[in-house]
Amino acid sequence: MSEFARTFEKRVQNLLNNAEDGIHLVVAALLLLLSILLTIGVVGDVVQAIQGTYREEVVVLSALDNSLILFIVAELLHTVRLTIRNRTLDAEPFLVVGMIAGVRKVLVVTAEADKSFQWNVQGVELLTLIALILVMALAIYIWHRSGGTAPTGQGRSG
C-alpha cells in the first residue's frame, strides 16, 4: 500500500471517528434534555396533584411510571457515555434497560388490572413479561460469568 493510500485511509478513519463521536454527543445531549424535561414533569405532576383533589394511587403510579422512564433514560445516557469512552457497544446496558422497561410494564399491568384481572389477557401478558425479565437477568448473569464487563453499578465513576 502506498504512502498516499495509508494517509488517505487514516484521514477517512479519523473523519468517521469524529462523526461517530459527534452523533454520540448529540444523542447524549438529547437524552440529557429529555431527563430534565421528565424530572420537571414528574415534580410538576406531583405538586399539581397534591394541591388539588387527588387519589393517592394515581399520583404514586404516575410518579413511579415516570421515574422508571427517567431511570431508563439515565441508563441509556450511561450507555452512550461508555460507548464514547470505550469505543465499544456492550449488550449489558441494553439488557438492564429491557429489565427496567419490563418491570415498569408489570407495574402498569398490575395497576390497571387491580379491579378487573383476567387471566386470558393480563395473566398471559404478566407471565410473558416475567419470563422476559428472568431471561434478561439470566443473560446478564451469563455475561458476567463468561468474562463480560463489570456488573452494572460498578465502575460508573470512570
Side-chain angles (χ1 to χ4, degrees):
M1 186 183 281
S2 70
E3 183 65 32
F4 174 76
R6 277 188 290 238
T7 304
F8 180 74
E9 181 182 357
K10 191 174 186 178
R11 286 185 180 176
V12 168
Q13 288 294 327
N14 284 338
L15 177 69
L16 292 175
N17 282 336
N18 290 337
E20 183 180 339
D21 286 344
I23 291 168
H24 288 137
L25 290 173
V26 168
V27 170
L30 290 173
L31 287 170
L32 190 59
L33 178 64
L34 180 61
S35 66
I36 291 168
L37 293 174
L38 278 169
T39 303
I40 291 169
V42 169
V43 171
D45 288 348
V46 170
V47 168
Q48 184 180 13
I50 291 174
Q51 289 175 345
T53 58
Y54 65 94
R55 294 184 12 225
E56 292 84 8
E57 67 270 4
V58 173
V59 174
V60 170
L61 286 174
S62 175
L64 183 61
D65 187 39
N66 288 329
S67 296
L68 287 172
I69 291 173
L70 186 59
F71 195 62
I72 289 170
V73 171
E75 204 52 45
L76 289 172
L77 188 58
H78 171 70
T79 303
V80 170
R81 185 178 61 85
L82 289 179
T83 301
I84 291 171
R85 186 184 71 194
N86 300 338
R87 294 230 176 261
T88 60
L89 188 60
D90 291 329
E92 183 192 12
F94 294 102
L95 292 170
V96 171
V97 166
M99 286 178 57
I100 296 166
V103 168
R104 177 183 166 269
K105 184 66 177 173
V106 166
L107 292 172
V108 169
V109 168
T110 55
E112 290 174 351
D114 188 29
K115 295 175 179 70
S116 62
F117 182 78
Q118 299 173 4
W119 265 107
N120 292 343
V121 181
Q122 290 102 350
V124 172
E125 186 175 7
L126 283 174
L127 289 175
T128 304
L129 287 167
I130 291 169
L132 284 171
I133 292 167
L134 291 174
V135 166
M136 286 185 268
L138 180 64
I140 290 173
Y141 176 76
I142 291 170
W143 177 267
H144 291 291
R145 297 289 292 174
S146 68
T149 59
T152 301
Q154 295 181 9
R156 284 185 170 248
S157 60

